Amino acid sequence: MQQVVQYFSQYKVSYKNEILSGLTVALALVPEAVAFSLIAGLSPLVGLYAAFVMGLVTSLIGGRPGMISGATGAIAVVLLALAKSHGVEYIFATVILAGVLQVVAGLLRLGKFIRLVPHSVMFGFVNGLAIIIFLSQLVQFQTVDAAGAHQWLTGSALYTMLGLVGLTILIIAGLPRLTKVVPASLVAILVVSGLVIGLGISTKTVGDIASIKGGFPPFHIPAVPLTLATLGIIFPYAAIMAGVGLIESLLTLNLIDEITETRGSTNRECVAQGAANIASGFLFGMGGCAMIGQSLINISSGARARLSGIVAAVMLLVFIMFGASLIERVPMAALTGLMIMVAVGTFEWASLKTFGKMPVSDLIVMVLVTAITVLLHNLALAVLIGVIIAALVFAWENAKRIRARKYVDEVGVRHYEIYGPLFFGSAQAFGEKFDVLDDPSEVIIDFKESRVADMSAIEALNKLTERYHRAGKTVHLRHLSPDCRRLLGKADSIIEVNIMEDPLYTVAGANVMY
C-alpha cells in the first residue's frame, strides 16, 4: 500500500492541492472537450469520453505526473476529413491504430527525437494550429438553408451570436486580472449559459447538435471491415494523428519539466499516450493527446503528482453521467468564444517580433510550416518538412565552415590542419583545399579540430589519398578520434582508405599534446 501511495505522490505535495486542482481541471475540460469534438464533426459525448479515458490512463502510467491529456484541437483537425468521408466507426479504428503506432514509438525509444524539432518549426506548428482553430469557428456564424447550403447569419441572429461570443471573450480575458480561484473559461460558460437560459434568448445550443447524455463509456469494437482497403483508408490518418499527438504531448512534457524543474520520461509518455488512445478507441472516444492549457491550469494550481489527473478524469465522468441535461443547454456562442480565446492563447505572438531579428532561413521555415498546417491541415507533414528544411540549412551552413591551415615544417613536410566537420555537405570543399601536384613528397592531414562524419567523408578521404598515391606522394592522417577510426575501419571492406601512422603522433583520444 505504501508503494502505491508513493507512486501517486512521488513529490512532497499537498493532497488538498491535488484534489482541488483535479476538480478545477475537470470543470475546465467539459466545454473544451465538447468544442473539440464538434470541430471534428463528432458527437460531444465522443469528445467527453476521450477526455475521460485519455486523462485517466495517462495519469496512471504516463511519463509526466501533473500533465493532463484529453481530446485536443490538433487531433480534431486531423480527424475532421475522415469523419466527414467515412463516419465515426472509422474514427474509432483510426484512434486504435494511432495508439498502436505510439506504443511502438515508445518501445523503440523514439521519444528522444523530439529534441530535433527546431524552435522555428514549433512556432510555425503552433501558429498554424491556432489559425485552424480560429477558422473552424466561423461555421458557427453560419446557418444551413433548405438546400443544404451554408449561409451567413443576418439580423438579430447575427447580433445575438456576436454579443454572446463577445461577452464570453471579455470574461475569459478579464477575469484572471481579478481572480484566478476558478478557471475563467468555466466562469464564462456559466455566465453566458445563465443569461441565455434565464432570459430565454433564442440561440443554438449543444443540445441542438447532439445529446451528450451517457453513462460509463461502453466497450465497442469499431464496425469496419477488417481488410487491407480499410487499412489503406485509416493508416494515413492514424500515422498523422500518432505523430501530431506525440509531438504535442512531448512538447507539453518539456514545458512542464521546465516549470517544475523536474524531468519526465519521453518514451514512457509515448507508450502511455498510445495505450490511452487504444483504450479510447474501444471506449467510444475520439482519442487525443496532452493538453497544454489544462496542464498549465493543473500545475499553476499547485498539482505535481498523478493524483490530480486521476481526480480530473473521474470527476469528468461524474459530469457525463449526472450533468448531461445542464451541458446540453450550453449555448454554442459560449463555446465559440472559448475556442477563439484558445486560438488566441495558442498563437505565439512573440514570433511576430522575430521578423528582422531571426535568420532568414528560420523565418522561411516558420512561415512555411504555418502555411502547410493551415492549407493541408496536416500538422505532422508540416513539422516533418520544417525539420528537413532546417536540417538542410544547418548542413549547408556547416559545409561552408570547413577550412584548412597550411604550412611546411622544418623538414619539408606539408601540414594541413583541418577545421570543421567533414561530411556530405563539406566533402567537395574539403577536396579543393589540397594542392596535390605542388605539395612535397610527404603530407600530413591533421584532424584534431575536425571529424569524419559519414560515408561521403570517407569517400572524400579515399579519393584524396588516391590522388597523392598516383602522384607518388605519401599521406599521413593524424589525430583521428576513436569514433572516426572505427568508422573508417568499418568502411574498409567497401572502399580502400589509406591511413599511415607517424610514430611521433597519437590520436586525439589519447589527450597527448606535441
Side-chain angles (χ1 to χ4, degrees), residues 184-363:
S185 59
L186 177 65
V187 173
I189 297 295
L190 294 177
V191 169
V192 175
S193 298
L195 285 175
V196 170
I197 296 172
L199 300 178
I201 299 174
S202 177
T203 186
K204 186 193 300 184
T205 66
V206 172
D208 294 330
I209 299 175
S211 173
I212 65 168
K213 184 179 176 64
F216 191 86
F219 180 79
H220 173 74
I221 298 177
V224 298
L226 298 178
T227 63
L228 290 177
T230 300
L231 181 62
I233 293 171
I234 67 173
F235 184 82
Y237 292 96
I240 295 170
M241 177 181 168
V244 169
L246 290 184
I247 289 171
E248 188 161 338
S249 298
L250 297 183
L251 289 172
T252 303
L253 183 147
N254 288 339
L255 177 62
I256 302 302
D257 281 355
E258 292 179 6
I259 294 174
T260 60
E261 297 182 352
T262 57
R263 183 168 181 171
S265 171
T266 55
N267 294 313
R268 181 171 182 172
E269 186 62 33
C270 290
V271 174
Q273 290 290 330
N277 275 304
I278 293 173
S280 181
F282 281 117
L283 293 174
F284 223 76
M286 62 178 282
C289 60
M291 306 180 75
I292 295 178
Q294 273 63 30
S295 297
L296 292 178
I297 290 174
N298 195 41
I299 295 300
S300 63
S301 299
R304 292 293 183 273
R306 299 179 184 276
L307 182 60
S308 57
I310 297 172
V311 170
V314 172
M315 290 307 301
L316 180 61
L317 181 61
V318 171
F319 298 155
I320 295 172
M321 298 176 67
F322 303 106
S325 59
L326 295 177
I327 296 176
E328 289 178 4
R329 302 178 71 179
V330 172
M332 287 304 303
L335 296 180
T336 300
L338 170 63
M339 294 311 300
I340 290 175
M341 290 304 295
V342 169
V344 171
T346 301
F347 194 91
E348 287 284 357
W349 298 100
S351 64
L352 300 180
K353 300 178 182 179
T354 61
F355 285 88
K357 299 178 181 179
M358 289 175 60
V360 176
S361 59
D362 284 342
L363 293 176

Side-chain angles (χ1 to χ4, degrees), residues 168-177 184 341:
T168 303
I169 293 174
L170 182 63
I171 295 173
I172 294 176
L175 185 62
R177 300 179 182 180
M341 290 304 295

Side-chain angles (χ1 to χ4, degrees), residues 28-44:
L29 276 172
V30 174
E32 291 200 11
V34 172
F36 286 134
S37 59
L38 294 176
I39 288 177
L42 303 171
S43 165

